[in-house]
Amino acid sequence: MANDPILSIRGVSKTYANGPTALEAVDLDIQRGEIFALLGPNGAGKTTLISIVCGIVVPSTGSITVDGHDALNDYKQARRRVGLVPQELSTDAFESVLATVTFSRRLFGRSGHSAYIEELLRDLSLWDKRHAKIMTLSGGMKRRVLIAKALAHEPDLLFLDEPSAGVDVALRRDMWKLVHRLRDRGVTIILTTHYIEEAEEMADRVGVIAKGKLLLVDDKAALMKKLGKRELDLTLVEPMTAIPAELEEWAPTLENEGHTLRYVFDATGERTGIPSFLRRMQELGIAFKDLETSKSSLEDIFVGLVEEKR
Amino acid sequence: MNLHGIWAIYRFEMARFGRTIWTSLMVPVITTSLYFIVFGSAIGSQMREVSGVPYGAFIVPGLMLLAIFSESILNASLGIYMPKFTGTIYELLSAPLSPLETVLGYVGAATTKSVVIGLVIFATAHLFVDLPIAHPFAMIAYLVLVAATFCMFGFAIGIWAKGFEQLQVIPLLVVTPLTFLGGAFYSVTILPEPWRSITLFNPVVYLINGFRWTFFGTSDVGVGISLAVTAGFFAACLTWIGWIFRTGWRLKS
Ligand SMILES: Nc1ncnc2c1ncn2[C@@H]1O[C@H](COP(=O)(O)OP(=O)(O)O)[C@@H](O)[C@H]1O
Ligand SMILES: [Mg+2]
């Protein structure tokens, strides 16, 4: 059981009644305990996908299971396990912080009296404000309240929809600390973002979504490695037909009919290998008249992917 | 059964009522007193008895229902409309609650408030007139049934409404006129034809007369018909709400 995905999405599509096709045949498995980032531009369908899993939006087709429970037929079991921090700051006005968080815990079927709530409010620096009416709080504090509400029933799977939208540095820091603490406790976290840095910073795996389609899903490390690659292109004075054995260590390739010598290096690595490569070239007397590096950062790939699908 | 969930909604709604408790309780006290001062003294002195009941006592069931109809619709509709309006409904929709549990929480709380207001009116009226009750258990049961029915009606209206104005349209423009025309303050037997027969198409006539029977043991129409009309309206509201949750109409996109 432990190796079963905690969330399994199969062939989920959504066409809004009077609107566009927001999702097209999305398949996705989320593993237990991972932090997954759903990365995509505005309007990509991230919120729609999350809303379907949580039961807020009805899918046009497809099926979803949470921890093996069908999200439609066995919705009570499925929903108990899920917590959602929505994108919008939708809160009650007149309720106190403690009352609204206790409300959430009960709503999801748990007894309201719990030391867990105190711990949660302390973790989110809300304990001192527990008797304050929500409407008297700042935007950042309201966001903390929404996080506390989502975690109130101790979910196994937490959705954070655009968690850093309109969030100050302190909250961002607290939030990431909390996310890592939750992960240590075995909570699975799915966050959506249109910031690449956020996906990079937080996630174990990243899924790129655009125009309602899930374009690729990969381990962040693998993705970053792929995306962190840079190319050094040397335009040679004399074209080459073969790579000299002395350069094999750097595994360069010949491009442009031997006019360009290309060396691929890892910009995120400790050593790029460029100085030694150039020194060896000089020792071998290989002259070049131009030098150019190009990057293929996540950003470029991301933009490329998104444009390609237009 | 998610009892904690039902309890959460019930408490939340009762806390909402609690924030305006003094207005909520003073309004029926003052309105009822005014009715007695105007109708009871001014008109009542001309019209001593209706169907063998002193006029002041005769209007009490109608007064109670008049308030219960509008309070039930307004409170229950606001209860579900506000989360839709502020966006907090996302939490309700994502919670492990069945439609029945959701309705029990919202309608249960609104019904509680309506019954309390009905009893406040009853107590206030008691200060002005003698009010013997022929069937006290039936009176309480009928009060709860009618309040629950109109709270369900209000709950459905709250989901249907797309603006604050629409929340008020039905209670102000439909229910209150039908109540005034339905014999809240007079017996339909005193109406000349054809008005009398036309009035009998007004369902509120049966609700008021059924309730009046629990007080005085007499009624313009058969008690069985009254109960059937009330139960029919209850069933209609239940069906409507059941359909809303099945289809997600105006709740989920
Ligand atoms: N309730 C709705 N009715 C109609 N169209 C909607 C609704 N919600 C979202 N959409 C549309 O669906 C698409 C995806 O939106 P959304 O899931 O919010 O994207 P994201 O969260 O990635 O920004 C957009 O084109 C948006 O306009
Ligand atoms: Mg979104």
Side-chain angles (χ1 to χ4, degrees), chain A:
Chain A
M1 277 302 280
N3 288 329
D4 286 357
I6 186 153
L7 173 65
S8 181
I9 298 173
R10 286 285 168 275
V12 166
S13 302
K14 175 67 187 178
T15 306
Y16 284 104
N18 46 0
T21 298
L23 286 177
E24 258 182 87
V26 171
D27 292 314
L28 179 63
D29 279 335
I30 302 294
Q31 302 306 321
R32 267 162 226 280
E34 72 173 329
I35 300 180
F36 187 90
L38 202 54
L39 175 65
N42 279 327
K46 305 182 295 294
T47 300
T48 301
L49 185 59
I50 287 185
S51 301
I52 288 174
V53 175
C54 294
I56 299 165
V57 168
V58 186
S60 306
T61 63
S63 65
I64 288 160
T65 56
V66 179
D67 205 4
H69 300 282
D70 188 281
L72 278 183
N73 300 325
D74 198 6
Y75 66 94
K76 282 202 175 188
Q77 286 303 324
R79 290 183 192 176
R80 261 175 218 282
R81 290 162 169 76
V82 177
L84 166 66
V85 183
Q87 185 174 353
E88 307 292 335
L89 271 186
S90 314
T91 58
D92 291 307
F94 302 105
E95 296 283 298
S96 74
V97 171
L98 186 59
T100 199
V101 174
T102 307
F103 170 83
S104 298
R105 187 175 166 88
R106 288 203 176 106
L107 199 65
F108 280 75
R110 286 179 172 250
S111 147
H113 301 285
S114 162
Y116 172 80
I117 289 184
E118 176 174 346
E119 188 193 328
L120 182 62
L121 293 183
R122 285 191 191 280
D123 276 356
L124 284 160
S125 315
L126 284 169
W127 185 247
D128 294 338
K129 293 271 185 192
R130 64 192 180 278
H131 297 305
K133 283 189 174 147
I134 301 168
M135 64 180 179
T136 65
L137 302 178
S138 67
M141 291 305 269
K142 282 183 185 155
R143 174 78 54 190
R144 286 171 195 257
V145 171
L146 287 180
I147 297 171
K149 279 169 77 71
L151 290 171
H153 62 287
E154 301 171 50
D156 299 324
L157 176 59
L158 178 70
F159 286 101
L160 295 163
D161 199 358
E162 308 269 352
S164 53
V167 156
D168 57 36
V169 180
L171 174 51
R172 219 179 142 121
R173 197 187 49 228
D174 284 5
M175 202 154 63
W176 294 153
K177 262 197 277 182
L178 181 73
V179 163
H180 281 115
R181 253 199 321 267
L182 288 169
R183 199 251 298 267
D184 292 344
R185 235 184 269 162
V187 178
T188 309
I189 292 150
I190 300 178
L191 59 101
T192 76
T193 179
H194 53 266
Y195 298 116
I196 291 150
E197 305 78 53
E198 194 160 68
E200 234 174 279
E201 199 181 321
M202 291 304 308
D204 303 319
R205 280 202 307 154
V206 179
V208 178
I209 185 172
K211 304 253 156 199
K213 287 189 187 143
L214 196 57
L215 302 174
L216 91 124
V217 176
D218 211 341
D219 281 351
K220 187 195 58 187
L223 201 65
M224 292 317 299
K225 201 153 186 188
K226 243 186 259 170
L227 303 177
K229 292 277 191 260
R230 302 277 164 102
E231 290 163 356
L232 173 69
D233 281 351
L234 301 171
T235 309
L236 303 172
V237 175
E238 300 286 335
M240 252 182 213
T241 49
I243 307 278
E246 291 87 342
L247 289 178
E248 254 164 27
E249 188 182 326
W250 291 269
T253 53
L254 280 172
E255 309 287 332
N256 202 9
E257 289 164 354
H259 287 281
T260 305
L261 188 64
R262 174 170 294 168
Y263 166 54
V264 179
F265 64 98
D266 185 358
T268 59
E270 235 162 68
R271 291 175 168 220
T272 59
I274 293 174
S276 53
F277 179 64
L278 294 181
R279 219 176 302 124
R280 181 66 56 89
M281 296 250 306
Q282 203 176 11
E283 282 163 21
L284 294 171
I286 305 172
F288 55 91
K289 52 188 176 188
D290 196 12
L291 169 154
E292 193 181 13
T293 65
S294 59
K295 58 180 175 180
S296 57
S297 71
L298 184 48
E299 183 119 30
D300 291 339
I301 295 265
F302 176 58
V303 170
L305 279 169
V306 172
E307 304 248 296
E308 199 176 287
K309 296 284 165 177
R310 288 241 162 98

Side-chain angles (χ1 to χ4, degrees), chain B:
Chain B
M1 198 78 170
N2 182 353
L3 291 176
H4 288 297
I6 300 172
W7 182 229
I9 295 174
Y10 186 87
R11 279 178 57 127
F12 178 90
E13 285 294 283
M14 292 313 281
R16 186 166 70 82
F17 301 149
R19 284 192 285 270
T20 55
I21 185 139
W22 291 112
T23 351
S24 301
L25 295 184
M26 284 317 287
V27 167
V29 170
I30 292 171
T31 324
T32 309
S33 305
L34 286 173
Y35 270 107
F36 274 102
I37 292 163
V38 175
F39 284 90
S41 316
I43 301 172
S45 55
Q46 325 265 313
M47 238 170 89
R48 283 189 199 278
E49 285 198 343
V50 182
S51 319
V53 179
Y55 186 67
F58 179 82
I59 64 171
V60 173
L63 264 183
M64 288 171 72
L65 289 192
L66 187 64
I68 282 169
F69 292 162
S70 55
E71 284 284 334
S72 298
I73 295 175
L74 227 51
N75 290 320
S77 63
L78 215 54
I80 190 70
Y81 180 79
M82 283 309 288
K84 273 196 347 169
F85 181 72
T86 60
T88 55
I89 195 153
Y90 81 86
E91 192 175 30
L92 189 69
L93 295 177
S94 64
L97 281 166
S98 68
L100 176 69
E101 289 158 352
T102 308
V103 172
L104 277 177
Y106 279 104
V107 171
T111 304
T112 306
K113 186 181 180 189
S114 291
V115 168
V116 168
I117 287 175
L119 293 177
V120 166
I121 295 175
F122 179 80
T124 309
H126 229 304
L127 301 175
F128 292 89
V129 287
D130 275 342
L131 267 178
I133 295 189
H135 311 285
F137 288 110
M139 182 269 205
I140 294 291
Y142 206 89
L143 185 66
V144 173
L145 177 64
V146 170
T149 303
F150 277 78
C151 287
M152 286 204 302
F153 187 44
F155 185 80
I157 286 174
I159 292 171
W160 160 77
K162 285 186 167 165
F164 282 97
E165 200 186 4
Q166 287 189 335
L167 291 180
Q168 312 225 332
V169 165
I170 306 280
L172 291 183
L173 294 185
V174 180
V175 177
T176 303
L178 283 181
T179 312
F180 274 95
L181 296 174
F185 301 110
Y186 54 86
S187 162
V188 293
T189 56
I190 64 166
L191 291 175
E193 287 293 359
W195 299 114
R196 194 171 161 221
S197 300
I198 291 173
T199 301
L200 290 178
F201 283 101
N202 177 355
V204 180
V205 168
Y206 302 92
L207 301 184
I208 293 174
N209 274 285
F211 195 42
R212 197 173 276 149
W213 173 85
T214 67
F215 278 71
F216 313 119
T218 59
S219 161
D220 297 345
V221 294
V223 179
I225 300 180
S226 290
L227 208 56
V229 170
T230 315
F233 193 37
F234 185 91
C237 293
L238 203 62
T239 311
W240 187 10
I241 292 175
W243 175 82
I244 286 172
F245 276 101
R246 235 184 2 266
T247 60
W249 180 74
R250 295 202 180 172
L251 270 182
K252 303 183 182 190
S253 22

